[in-house]
């Protein structure tokens, strides 16, 4: 089992997202993908995968102010086959 | 209106008197672009405003001049601009929108004759907007009406235009510019000075009917209707006119602005000779004093209109008279060689002949030919 | 065994919960600037203007001038922000913000007065206003959101549209012979003695956004010092006006508008650079970065 280290994480205001996908390409470690569901505005929105560094690039390129960005006190590990474990 | 501060009486041209009057009224910002016969008003303000801790900017265009005044007004200052008719043509979009933004702009038209009546009263800009328009007879009245303009502009949060001309601008008289005290006005809570930032109560000065998030915006329709309602109130309350000898007049002559002084003189002379002529002078061009003109012309068999243009105010006279008497245009286009100034028609003898022709001939009056400017 | 996630692979692993703030973490970036009353607006998906809005509001806040700032807005899509920014604001007409800013600054000389205008507003309708205000050395900051089109009316050519750019009224691309050449407004302003700080930013990626924020700070600082006129142009995406998918906006912008309206500081500390010089500097810097990458650096 391998685990991926996340130094940071984000919250995403999916209701306000307009599905522009700028965050997807802006994210340097490429940990965002678009959902297949749509929000109440009818747009698909991003979701987060392990490996976030908390760099806030997504926030800086988001025209709709959907993100908050956090850095963990200690990096969090996510088993890529399962759920997140305790910080090591 | 109470005179508060008697000042020294000295010889000055109308432009200077109006500049002093503006400053006496609290004007602390002016921007303008040189153009005859407005240029001297700008010159005088350029000299005097800084002495009164104000700012006068020689704007690079008329359009920028009115924009600068807009910015100054938005901060709550008393501000003005001006030009002659041609320059005001350039400012029309801003005039419309400043009215919708409910800013108290004072505008001086030092006109080349009286052909800017439509521009002033109908407005050359777009949309349903109105400006109060005041037309002084002479320098003394210009000193009063300039100060009144600033007061009314603030009272109604609406632009006011002072209709002057070459004669007013350049005639020299002994004048004392006395500051007039007006009734107090509410403070300008809407004015923008930067202090609202970050408080959640920041201010927005806009013609668009928007408001800051969290406050109810009227929306453009309600906003426009509100301004129209305000204009209806202005229309009722701000009509001004002067009448003389109208009670038993058979012929009533209507004139405004500086030419009206000549007409008034002629009428009073003719009265002294026993002719039943009367005189009515609109002082507010908008709102036009329809009631006063209607009353003054009520018993007349002829109404004569004297204006230095092809005939613009005559439309409003027709509306006031509503067919009760024939209306004879006794004015006309008359200017000097440059086109800026005073033409040969502005002559008491010539005006007298034309008044008499209307008085005697009525609807079928044959008027003498218009004098010709000897420089073509 | 834990490993770093290598970006080139694309996202791997499960979707994580992003609905609430995490425990054992510190927030490093807020949802929206304090000076923005609401994050909601009706601008298009992928619009670059809110990106510029965020960083200049942050710059004002960081400089501590919130309670003496006066914003003068022109007419364009960004007019929508007049309701949502918590800054004292005067709405001007299309092209006419610089003169309004002048009047406001003269009456409130201790305030930070800045305009927000688009390229159609500033470089078409209002070209003389911004040039005169700059020449006069008026102590205001003019901000240009440049997307090379009239966005609000549907994507028509402006004075900054680049050759070959397809717009609603240049469907075959801007043609020099028929439509003339774009104006590089920053260069015109930089040459005026009254202009103290002139810069051109862009929001095509996070790094550019960060650089642009620095430009805003320098511009406002220049105004606070009373140096004269300051100017920041920001290239912003308009995928709607460019008729391209939103995701393509940044690259399209960088490769079309960005090649002509080149990013960089055109005037600072009395030193004037031309756009050509900025272009050469950027090319040189790009080569350096590529060289370092080839040598194995920059692997984070």
């Amino acid at each position: 089992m391998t685990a991926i280290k996340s130094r940071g994480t984000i919250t995403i205001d999916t209701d306000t997202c307009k599905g522009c996908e700028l965050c997807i390409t802006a994210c340097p470690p490429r940990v965002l993908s678009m959902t297949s569901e749509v929000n109440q505005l009818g747009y698909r929105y991003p979701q987060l995968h392990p490996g976030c560094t908390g760099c806030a690039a997504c926030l800086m390129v988001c025209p709709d102010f959907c993100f908050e960005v956090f850095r963990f006190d200690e990096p969090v590990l996510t088993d890529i086959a399962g759920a997140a474990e305790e910080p090591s | 209106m109470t005179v508060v501060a008697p000042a020294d009486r000295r010889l000055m041209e109308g432009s200077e008197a109006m500049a002093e009057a503006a400053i006496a009224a609290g004007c602390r910002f002016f921007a303008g672009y040189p153009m005859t016969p407005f240029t001297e008003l700008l010159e005088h303000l350029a000299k005097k405003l800084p002495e009164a801790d104000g700012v006068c900017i020689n704007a690079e265009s008329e359009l920028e001049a009115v924009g600068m005044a807009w910015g100054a007004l938005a901060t709550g200052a008393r501000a003005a601009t001006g030009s002659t008719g041609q320059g005001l043509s350039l400012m029309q979009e801003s005039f419309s929108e400043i009215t919708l933004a409910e800013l108290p702009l004072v505008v001086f038209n030092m006109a080349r004759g009286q052909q800017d009546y439509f521009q002033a009263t109908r407005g050359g800009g777009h949309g349903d907007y109105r400006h109060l328009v005041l037309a002084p007879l002479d320098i003394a009245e210009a000193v009063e009406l300039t100060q009144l303009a600033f007061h009314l502009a603030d009272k109604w949060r609406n632009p006011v235009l002072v209709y002057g001309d070459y004669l007013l601008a350049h005639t020299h008289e002994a004048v004392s510019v006395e500051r007039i005290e007006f009734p107090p006005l509410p403070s300008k809570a809407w004015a923008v000075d930067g202090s609202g930032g970050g408080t959640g109560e920041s201010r927005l000065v806009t013609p668009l009917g928007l408001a800051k998030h969290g406050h109810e915006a009227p929306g453009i329709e309600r906003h426009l209707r509100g301004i129209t309602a305000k204009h209806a109130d202005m229309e009722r309350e701000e009509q001004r006119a002067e009448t003389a000898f109208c009670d038993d007049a058979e012929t009533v002559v209507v004139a405004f602005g500086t030419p009206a002084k000549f007409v008034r003189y002629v009428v009073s002379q003719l009265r002294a000779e026993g002719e039943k002529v009367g005189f009515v002078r609109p002082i507010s061009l908008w709102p036009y004093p329809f009631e006063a003109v209607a009353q003054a012309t009520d018993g007349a068999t002829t109404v004569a209109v004297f204006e230095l243009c092809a005939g613009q105010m005559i439309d409003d006279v027709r509306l006031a008279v509503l067919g009760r008497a024939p209306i004879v245009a006794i004015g006309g286009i008359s200017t000097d060689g440059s086109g800026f100034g005073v033409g040969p028609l502005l002559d008491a003898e010539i005006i007298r002949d034309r008044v008499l022709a209307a008085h005697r001939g009525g609807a079928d009056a044959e008027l003498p030919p218009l004098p010709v400017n000897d420089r073509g | 065994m834990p490993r770093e996630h290598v970006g080139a692979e694309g996202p791997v692993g499960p979707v994580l919960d992003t609905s609430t703030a995490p425990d054992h973490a510190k927030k490093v970036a807020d949802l929206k600037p304090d000076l923005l009353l609401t994050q909601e607006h009706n601008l298009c998906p992928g619009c670059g203007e809110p990106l510029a809005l965020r960083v200049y509001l942050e710059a004002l806040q960081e400089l501590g001038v919130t309670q003496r700032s006066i914003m003068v807005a022109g007419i364009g899509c960004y007019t929508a922000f007049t309701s949502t920014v918590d800054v004292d604001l005067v709405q001007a007409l299309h092209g006419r913000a610089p003169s309004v800013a002048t009047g406001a600054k003269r009456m409130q000389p201790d305030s930070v007065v800045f305009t927000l205008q688009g390229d159609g507003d500033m470089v078409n309708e209002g070209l003389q206003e911004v040039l005169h205000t700059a020449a006069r050395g008026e102590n205001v900051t003019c901000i240009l959101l440049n997307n090379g089109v009239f966005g609000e009316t549907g994507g028509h050519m402006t004075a900054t549209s680049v050759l070959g750019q397809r717009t609603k009224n240049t469907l075959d691309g801007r043609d020099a012979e028929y439509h003339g050449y774009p104006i590089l407004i920053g260069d015109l302003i930089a040459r005026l003695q009254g202009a103290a700080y002139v810069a051109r930013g862009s929001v095509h990626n996070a790094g550019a956004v960060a650089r642009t924020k620095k430009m805003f700070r320098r511009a406002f600082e220049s105004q606070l010092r009373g140096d004269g006129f300051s100017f920041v142009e920001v290239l912003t995406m308009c995928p709607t006006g460019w008729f391209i998918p939103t995701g393509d906006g940044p690259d399209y912008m960088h490769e079309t508008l960005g090649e002509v309206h080149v990013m960089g500081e055109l005037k600072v500390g009395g030193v004037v650079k031309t756009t050509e010089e900025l272009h050469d500097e950027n090319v040189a810097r790009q080569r350096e970065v590529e060289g370092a990458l080839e040598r194995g650096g920059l692997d984070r």
Side-chain angles (χ1 to χ4, degrees):
Chain A
M1 290 278 214
T2 45
I4 291 181
K5 197 190 291 187
S6 297
R7 299 180 193 283
T9 188
I10 59 179
T11 57
I12 306 175
D13 183 351
T14 59
D15 286 336
T16 310
C17 174
K18 290 185 188 136
C20 73
E21 303 191 20
L22 292 187
C23 54
I24 308 296
T25 37
C27 174
R30 298 193 60 198
V31 296
L32 291 169
S33 68
M34 293 300 277
T35 59
S36 44
E37 291 111 55
V38 296
N39 64 15
Q40 59 178 4
L41 297 174
Y43 295 108
R44 292 161 60 222
Y45 48 86
Q47 55 194 6
L48 180 70
H49 301 266
C52 175
T53 61
C55 75
C58 53
L59 175 145
M60 290 169 80
V61 303
C62 174
D64 292 285
F65 308 97
C66 296
F67 296 103
E68 289 174 311
V69 181
F70 303 84
R71 295 234 179 91
F72 289 116
D73 302 335
E74 298 289 335
V76 162
L77 296 178
T78 307
D79 181 347
I80 55 170
E85 298 171 5
E86 290 300 310
S88 59
Chain B
M1 300 194 322
T2 5
V3 168
V4 160
D8 294 327
R9 201 171 158 80
R10 59 186 175 84
L11 189 69
M12 61 174 94
E13 66 179 1
S15 304
E16 185 176 357
M18 290 168 79
E20 297 244 333
I23 292 173
C27 177
R28 290 296 174 266
F29 183 90
F30 192 85
Y33 188 93
M35 197 167 186
T36 308
F38 158 79
T39 308
E40 286 74 15
L41 182 59
L42 175 62
E43 280 177 14
H44 289 298
L45 284 165
K47 181 168 184 295
K48 294 173 197 287
L49 260 176
E51 291 165 1
D53 283 330
V55 174
C56 181
I57 301 186
N58 207 52
E60 294 85 351
S61 72
E62 286 86 348
L63 204 32
E64 288 157 273
V66 66
M68 294 173 190
W70 187 332
L73 290 166
T75 67
R78 281 198 165 176
T81 186
S83 185
T84 190
Q86 286 83 339
L88 298 188
S89 291
L90 295 175
M91 302 183 188
Q92 296 297 323
E93 187 197 20
S94 292
F95 285 166
S96 301
E97 299 289 328
I98 285 175
T99 310
L100 299 184
E102 300 197 81
L103 289 170
L105 176 69
V106 172
V107 181
F108 294 94
N109 183 0
M110 304 310 272
R112 298 173 179 180
Q114 302 201 300
Q115 74 275 19
D116 299 336
Y117 183 89
F118 281 158
Q119 183 195 67
T121 59
R122 272 53 174 169
H126 58 280
D128 286 316
Y129 79 101
R130 295 299 202 178
H131 288 174
L132 284 168
V133 182
L134 302 170
L137 176 82
D138 59 15
I139 295 179
E141 195 172 68
V143 166
E144 279 177 29
L145 294 182
T146 295
Q147 297 184 64
L148 179 64
F150 283 96
H151 173 74
L152 292 178
D154 274 345
K155 174 183 172 188
W156 293 105
R157 286 187 60 187
N158 200 89
V160 179
L161 184 141
V162 179
Y163 195 111
D165 64 10
Y166 186 100
L167 191 65
L168 188 67
H170 292 126
T171 302
H172 282 69
E173 282 183 20
V175 184
S176 68
V177 177
E178 298 174 346
R179 189 164 75 81
I180 300 169
E181 186 84 11
F182 290 95
L185 292 167
S187 68
K188 298 182 181 181
W190 50 265
V192 158
D193 64 1
S195 64
T199 63
E201 294 297 318
S202 50
R203 287 155 288 210
L204 176 60
V205 172
T206 177
L208 302 175
L210 299 176
K212 291 286 192 187
H213 178 78
H215 294 86
E216 201 202 335
I220 188 69
E221 182 183 77
R222 204 157 21 130
H223 178 65
L224 293 177
R225 287 183 181 173
I227 291 183
T228 303
K230 180 172 72 170
H231 289 156
D233 292 338
M234 286 160 64
E235 204 167 358
R236 265 195 324 272
E237 293 179 37
E238 302 296 348
Q239 294 181 30
R240 289 170 168 80
E242 177 197 353
T243 56
F245 309 118
C246 286
D247 290 342
D248 63 344
E250 291 161 3
T251 300
V252 172
V253 190
V254 191
F256 77 93
T258 57
K261 196 163 193 176
F262 291 70
V263 174
R264 187 173 70 180
Y265 170 77
V266 161
V267 167
S268 65
Q269 289 272 295
L270 288 171
R271 262 293 168 176
E273 292 162 25
E275 303 284 356
K276 289 204 164 107
V277 288
F279 165 77
V280 59
R281 175 173 75 96
I283 301 175
S284 61
L285 301 183
W286 195 93
Y288 195 73
F290 288 109
E291 281 159 36
V293 175
Q295 245 180 354
T297 56
D298 194 39
T301 48
T302 306
V303 176
V305 181
F306 183 86
E307 46 183 337
L308 286 179
C309 66
Q312 296 187 11
M313 189 197 51
I314 194 167
D315 283 6
D316 284 335
V317 177
R318 290 191 180 108
L319 283 173
V321 171
L322 283 179
R324 282 190 306 276
I327 298 180
V328 182
I330 61 168
I333 295 171
S334 180
T335 185
D336 64 6
S338 67
F340 304 150
V342 179
L345 182 54
L346 203 61
D347 176 313
E349 288 297 316
I350 292 176
I351 293 172
R352 180 198 156 91
D353 287 345
R354 299 178 78 78
V355 170
L356 275 174
H359 182 46
R360 297 204 172 116
D364 302 318
E366 265 188 45
L367 296 169
L370 284 171
V372 174
N373 166 355
D374 60 12
R375 294 215 219 132
Chain C
M1 187 170 97
R3 63 175 174 84
E4 300 286 339
H5 172 65
V6 179
E9 295 171 18
V12 298
V15 173
L16 303 175
D17 176 25
T18 51
S19 59
T20 54
D23 296 324
H24 312 298
K26 186 179 73 206
K27 193 198 287 196
V28 296
D30 279 321
L31 188 74
K32 61 172 181 66
D34 290 340
L35 288 177
L36 195 60
L37 292 166
T38 171
Q39 81 209 104
E40 290 176 14
H41 59 72
N42 292 328
L43 276 67
C44 300
C47 175
E49 296 187 349
L51 277 54
L53 174 77
R54 176 200 294 271
V55 290
Y56 78 70
L57 289 179
E58 285 174 356
L60 282 175
Q61 183 121 27
E62 285 163 20
L63 288 169
V65 295
T66 318
Q67 288 204 286
R68 53 182 174 116
S69 294
I70 299 179
M71 180 166 157
V72 182
I75 301 276
C77 296
Y78 49 89
T79 304
F81 299 141
T82 59
S83 303
T84 62
V85 297
D86 195 17
V87 176
D88 276 356
L89 197 149
V90 185
Q91 177 69 59
L93 292 176
H94 195 62
R96 315 254 158 256
S99 58
V100 175
T102 296
K105 179 78 184 194
R106 294 294 186 112
M107 292 288 102
Q108 297 283 335
D110 293 332
S111 54
V112 175
V113 178
F114 62 98
T115 71
L116 185 66
Q117 306 172 253
D119 48 299
D121 179 298
M122 182 192 275
V123 191
N124 280 51
E125 190 76 57
L127 184 61
Q128 79 178 94
E129 294 233 354
V130 69
L131 290 178
H132 285 143
T133 308
R136 239 183 288 118
E138 212 64 50
N139 254 294
V140 300
T141 303
C142 283
I143 298 175
L144 169 62
L145 302 176
N146 186 2
N147 57 18
V149 288
F150 284 103
E152 201 182 8
T153 46
H156 309 86
M157 186 187 93
T158 71
T160 66
S161 305
V162 300
L163 294 179
Q165 186 178 340
R166 190 167 79 108
T167 72
K168 208 128 183 219
N169 45 9
T170 61
L171 289 171
D172 295 328
R174 181 172 190 163
D175 170 15
E177 205 178 300
Y178 194 81
H179 305 112
Y181 300 87
I183 293 177
L184 274 58
I185 183 70
D187 288 277
L188 294 183
I189 291 175
R191 302 199 66 79
L192 296 170
Q193 207 165 348
Y197 180 78
V198 180
R200 203 185 276 125
S202 176
V203 294
H204 60 276
N205 61 31
V209 172
R211 257 180 96 189
T212 303
K213 181 172 175 176
K214 288 206 182 89
M215 293 172 178
F216 282 127
R217 278 200 64 124
R218 293 203 184 118
F220 292 136
E221 282 161 356
S222 169
Q223 183 179 153
L224 286 165
R225 283 192 304 267
D227 291 348
F229 182 80
S230 48
F231 177 79
V232 181
E233 173 180 348
V234 185
L235 296 189
T236 57
M237 294 80 70
C238 181
T240 307
W242 297 338
F243 312 105
I244 60 172
T246 56
D248 295 350
D251 284 344
Y252 176 88
M253 180 171 82
H254 191 51
E255 287 155 19
T256 58
L257 287 177
E259 282 294 302
V260 173
H261 304 283
V262 175
M263 195 168 174
E265 288 176 320
L266 288 161
K267 187 171 192 178
V268 58
V271 176
V272 177
K273 290 186 185 158
T274 64
T275 295
E276 288 75 23
E277 286 169 307
L278 291 184
H279 184 266
D280 295 341
E281 278 177 19
N282 285 351
V283 166
R285 191 180 301 122
Q286 184 66 19
R287 286 212 192 99
E288 256 183 62
V289 167
E290 281 162 8
L293 281 172
E294 273 170 26
R295 290 188 300 275
L298 299 180
D299 63 342
R300 201 173 298 279

